Amino acid sequence: MLNERRRRVLQALIEEYVASATPVGSRTLVERYELGCSPATVRTELSILEETGYVIQPHVSAGRVPTDSGYRSFVDDLLARAQSADDAGECVDTTARLAHAAEVDELMRETSVALTRLTDCLALTIAPSVRISRVKRIDLLSLAPRRALFVLITESGQVVNRAIELDEEAAPEALARMERALNAAVVGKRADEIRPLREALDTRGSGSALVGAARASGRGAAIDTALMARVLDEILDALSEADRDRLHHGGVPALLAHPEFHDADRVRPLIEFLEDGIAVLEALSVALSSRDVTVRIGHENQRSELGNVSIVASAYSAGDSSQGLVGVVGPTRMDYQRAMGAVRAVARELSEAMRGA
């Protein structure tokens, strides 16, 4: 544990290093920060901080820079004191734009833009899983005798759609009966409850509940179970694809502007990692169980690609018991107070926007 004076010296050093990106000497700290102690005392405290692993001295003649442990102590203090500036006017002005996004994809893009603007970091947004969201409506439309379109809308405003090429011609009336049956079976339920309906077609055929609902809606009209199976297969495949593609990120130029990432060979593994939505979700999943922002600093991240960056992330609510994630990726020398405040504010506004979708 650090005593109060040592904590103030470490905080001053981190703030100066975040601003300058150059090693910080004791003279700079004495001149620019009111530490309430003499230059000799500051030098002594810096030596102790180095011995205990909170700072390092890259070269004998250089000043000192924080280690991951130093940043962790600093961030823990921020979390304990809840001093992140999440009520800043800039956050309010920027996140207010989220309420005007028309669809979830647009909302995710606007969120990434807002976070990058607020933090100068790369922004990550992960939409809630479509498969565990509740279904609001399914539309099934005839585009041509052998072509149809389905549109699935969740209660949180997510939209999944796909054109379906049919093996045989299907009359609009037959598709309309299927649409009514599908809505009767799944509206208000989670999207992943569609799969048991598809499996029932194979096991019970014309005796399945879905086919029975279709017949009832068509006043006894015959139902094509093969066509129904084809439609359900396309819906299930599209839901899985939507879940794989729910990661959005933006702000790569802002990330590359930091001096730590001027070396392309150093940043390339990180950019390649960010293209793998499943890997990113796994790396951020710890934030789903946290009640506040989660911060992972440098080598606290289990993936080697993240060893030189920090991640600040938070879960948000989609309003139908499902959750998504929002966060930023930046150098370990990021402005943590600003990043934590921005992520917290954006997650709050995103939850509000999703509930109003």
Side-chain angles (χ1 to χ4, degrees):
M1 293 291 293
L2 297 176
N3 60 33
E4 185 59 30
R5 184 168 63 195
R6 214 158 286 156
R7 183 176 287 107
R8 289 201 307 271
V9 171
L10 177 61
Q11 178 180 341
L13 185 142
I14 289 175
E15 290 177 358
E16 183 64 26
Y17 184 62
V18 167
S20 68
T22 58
V24 181
S26 58
R27 179 179 299 178
T28 299
L29 295 178
V30 171
E31 292 175 350
R32 299 184 183 179
Y33 298 86
E34 297 180 1
L35 297 175
C37 51
S38 68
T41 300
V42 171
R43 288 192 293 272
T44 299
E45 296 294 2
L46 286 174
S47 295
I48 295 173
L49 288 170
E50 184 175 358
E51 292 173 1
T52 51
Y54 289 94
V55 302
I56 59 172
Q57 190 172 22
H59 308 287
V60 174
S61 59
R64 293 171 172 86
V65 301
T67 64
D68 289 355
S69 296
Y71 286 124
R72 169 49 59 192
S73 176
F74 177 73
V75 167
D76 287 347
D77 282 346
L78 288 177
L79 290 169
R81 298 197 304 267
Q83 287 185 347
S84 294
D86 58 354
D87 58 348
E90 187 178 356
C91 284
V92 174
D93 292 342
T94 302
T95 58
R97 304 176 188 178
L98 302 183
H100 301 293
E103 295 183 356
V104 171
D105 280 349
E106 180 185 355
L107 188 58
M108 297 297 103
R109 287 191 294 271
E110 288 293 333
T111 298
S112 293
V113 171
L115 275 175
T116 295
R117 183 181 296 113
L118 290 167
T119 65
D120 291 327
C121 292
L122 184 146
L124 299 173
T125 55
I126 300 177
S129 171
V130 177
R131 287 182 294 179
I132 64 172
S133 296
R134 298 194 179 278
V135 177
K136 182 178 182 180
R137 190 177 79 246
I138 295 179
D139 294 330
L140 188 57
L141 309 171
S142 177
L143 300 178
R146 298 180 63 170
R147 198 162 189 261
L149 171 73
F150 85 83
V151 181
L152 184 149
I153 303 173
T154 71
E155 290 182 356
S156 57
Q158 293 161 282
V159 179
V160 179
N161 60 75
R162 178 181 289 185
I164 308 171
E165 301 298 331
L166 304 174
D167 296 329
E168 298 180 359
E169 293 187 4
E173 295 79 9
L175 294 178
R177 288 197 300 274
M178 289 187 190
E179 177 187 294
R180 290 192 292 271
L182 284 169
N183 280 288
V186 302
V187 166
K189 296 181 180 179
R190 294 180 4 164
D192 60 7
E193 294 181 85
I194 294 174
R195 184 168 296 281
L197 298 176
R198 172 64 182 90
E199 294 170 350
L201 285 178
D202 290 334
T203 58
R204 294 194 292 276
S206 60
S208 70
L210 185 55
V211 172
R215 285 174 173 163
S217 66
R219 291 176 294 278
I223 185 70
D224 186 337
T225 56
L227 177 60
M228 178 71 83
R230 172 73 171 141
V231 170
L232 289 173
D233 285 340
E234 290 289 342
I235 291 176
L236 290 168
D237 187 61
L239 287 171
S240 295
E241 183 178 293
D243 257 7
R244 291 193 298 270
D245 296 337
R246 57 196 178 106
L247 169 68
H248 299 254
H249 64 73
V252 171
L255 184 69
L256 297 180
H258 292 281
E260 291 89 340
F261 303 116
H262 287 174
D263 183 351
D265 290 335
R266 188 177 186 185
V267 76
R268 186 177 296 111
L270 171 63
I271 300 301
E272 292 175 351
F273 169 76
L274 293 174
E275 297 301 323
D276 185 345
I278 300 300
V280 174
L281 181 59
E282 291 175 350
L284 298 182
S285 61
V286 66
L288 286 173
S289 59
S290 175
R291 303 182 67 177
D292 197 0
V293 294
T294 295
V295 182
R296 289 291 177 266
I297 301 167
H299 291 91
E300 292 177 356
N301 295 296
Q302 294 184 348
R303 295 289 298 241
S304 61
E305 299 94 333
L306 303 176
N308 294 316
V309 302
S310 288
I311 298 176
V312 179
S314 176
Y316 66 88
S317 170
D320 59 357
S321 76
S322 59
Q323 289 182 302
L325 287 168
V326 60
V328 296
V329 178
T332 54
R333 185 193 55 83
M334 71 161 60
D335 185 337
Y336 288 97
Q337 180 164 323
R338 186 176 183 83
M340 291 160 63
V343 168
R344 188 182 287 118
V346 168
R348 182 178 59 240
E349 294 301 320
L350 193 52
S351 294
E352 291 294 328
M354 293 291 284
R355 281 195 289 268

